[in-house]
Amino acid sequence: PGVGYAVNDQTSLWVGYAWIPTDKPFAAGDRFNEHRIWQQLLWSNPYSFGTVTARSRTEQRFFDIPGSSDVAYRFRQFFKWSIPMRFISSKTSFILQDEVFVNLNDTEIGIRTGFNQNRFFTGVAYKFNKIVTGELGYLNQYFNRPDNPRPDQMQHILQANLFLNF
């Protein structure tokens, strides 16, 4: 969940929380919970060539691993370009987006400072009404794992998104 404040028609400020059950970086099968507090600046502006959106987010990540009191800090930069496909429908758009994750500190559980992951998405969006928009497309997710016994990983994902705008 998150709560936001609209600064103006293009810009909003947000804070929120995320709970992520996950695997230990070095011990496959060991589970733990990650709790994230996040803050973000969201900017979006329509142009004749489509809508451009940028989001800058910082995260403070806490892990319920016995003996660890580390807080991991991460920065995420997101860009999205929504290009109208009026030749199909006034409600249809082509989507290009990318998000880069950068760890800002080292932790005792194996998180290392620097490039962490990249998520690239391309697909089609359809605006059902003023509240509901759906997206369907391809997500390429790359994980960088420096100093980790597991190799870097690339995932190819068919992704469906549903956005509700109240």
Side-chain angles (χ1 to χ4, degrees), residues 14 36 48 83 124:
W14 292 79
R36 294 181 192 166
S48 60
I83 306 160
V124 177

PDB file of all heavy atoms in Angstrom, residues 14 36 48 83 124:
ATOM      1  N   TRP A  14       4.840  10.189  -2.990  1.00  0.00           N
ATOM      2  CA  TRP A  14       4.244   9.000  -2.394  1.00  0.00           C
ATOM      3  C   TRP A  14       5.133   8.444  -1.291  1.00  0.00           C
ATOM      4  O   TRP A  14       6.351   8.569  -1.335  1.00  0.00           O
ATOM      5  CB  TRP A  14       4.073   7.914  -3.459  1.00  0.00           C
ATOM      6  CG  TRP A  14       3.066   8.239  -4.500  1.00  0.00           C
ATOM      7  CD1 TRP A  14       3.231   9.059  -5.587  1.00  0.00           C
ATOM      8  CD2 TRP A  14       1.732   7.776  -4.552  1.00  0.00           C
ATOM      9  NE1 TRP A  14       2.079   9.115  -6.307  1.00  0.00           N
ATOM     10  CE2 TRP A  14       1.131   8.332  -5.695  1.00  0.00           C
ATOM     11  CE3 TRP A  14       0.975   6.933  -3.747  1.00  0.00           C
ATOM     12  CZ2 TRP A  14      -0.177   8.074  -6.045  1.00  0.00           C
ATOM     13  CZ3 TRP A  14      -0.330   6.673  -4.105  1.00  0.00           C
ATOM     14  CH2 TRP A  14      -0.894   7.244  -5.246  1.00  0.00           C
ATOM     15  N   ARG A  36       9.741  -3.444   3.272  1.00  0.00           N
ATOM     16  CA  ARG A  36      10.270  -2.248   2.607  1.00  0.00           C
ATOM     17  C   ARG A  36       9.419  -1.035   2.954  1.00  0.00           C
ATOM     18  O   ARG A  36       8.197  -1.073   2.861  1.00  0.00           O
ATOM     19  CB  ARG A  36      10.226  -2.389   1.084  1.00  0.00           C
ATOM     20  CG  ARG A  36      11.123  -3.430   0.534  1.00  0.00           C
ATOM     21  CD  ARG A  36      11.017  -3.483  -0.978  1.00  0.00           C
ATOM     22  NE  ARG A  36      11.677  -4.682  -1.467  1.00  0.00           N
ATOM     23  CZ  ARG A  36      11.525  -5.148  -2.693  1.00  0.00           C
ATOM     24  NH1 ARG A  36      10.744  -4.522  -3.557  1.00  0.00           N
ATOM     25  NH2 ARG A  36      12.163  -6.242  -3.057  1.00  0.00           N
ATOM     26  N   SER A  48       2.177  15.090 -27.765  1.00  0.00           N
ATOM     27  CA  SER A  48       1.543  14.658 -29.015  1.00  0.00           C
ATOM     28  C   SER A  48       2.010  13.254 -29.417  1.00  0.00           C
ATOM     29  O   SER A  48       1.270  12.512 -30.048  1.00  0.00           O
ATOM     30  CB  SER A  48       1.837  15.651 -30.133  1.00  0.00           C
ATOM     31  OG  SER A  48       3.234  15.739 -30.344  1.00  0.00           O
ATOM     32  N   ILE A  83       2.537   5.064 -26.109  1.00  0.00           N
ATOM     33  CA  ILE A  83       2.343   5.625 -27.450  1.00  0.00           C
ATOM     34  C   ILE A  83       0.949   5.250 -27.956  1.00  0.00           C
ATOM     35  O   ILE A  83       0.648   4.065 -28.134  1.00  0.00           O
ATOM     36  CB  ILE A  83       3.409   5.078 -28.426  1.00  0.00           C
ATOM     37  CG1 ILE A  83       4.810   5.325 -27.841  1.00  0.00           C
ATOM     38  CG2 ILE A  83       3.253   5.694 -29.802  1.00  0.00           C
ATOM     39  CD1 ILE A  83       5.872   4.441 -28.444  1.00  0.00           C
ATOM     40  N   VAL A 124       1.174  -3.947 -24.879  1.00  0.00           N
ATOM     41  CA  VAL A 124       0.015  -3.177 -25.328  1.00  0.00           C
ATOM     42  C   VAL A 124      -0.874  -2.887 -24.118  1.00  0.00           C
ATOM     43  O   VAL A 124      -1.073  -3.752 -23.269  1.00  0.00           O
ATOM     44  CB  VAL A 124      -0.778  -3.957 -26.401  1.00  0.00           C
ATOM     45  CG1 VAL A 124      -2.021  -3.206 -26.813  1.00  0.00           C
ATOM     46  CG2 VAL A 124       0.100  -4.232 -27.612  1.00  0.00           C
TER      47      VAL A 124
END
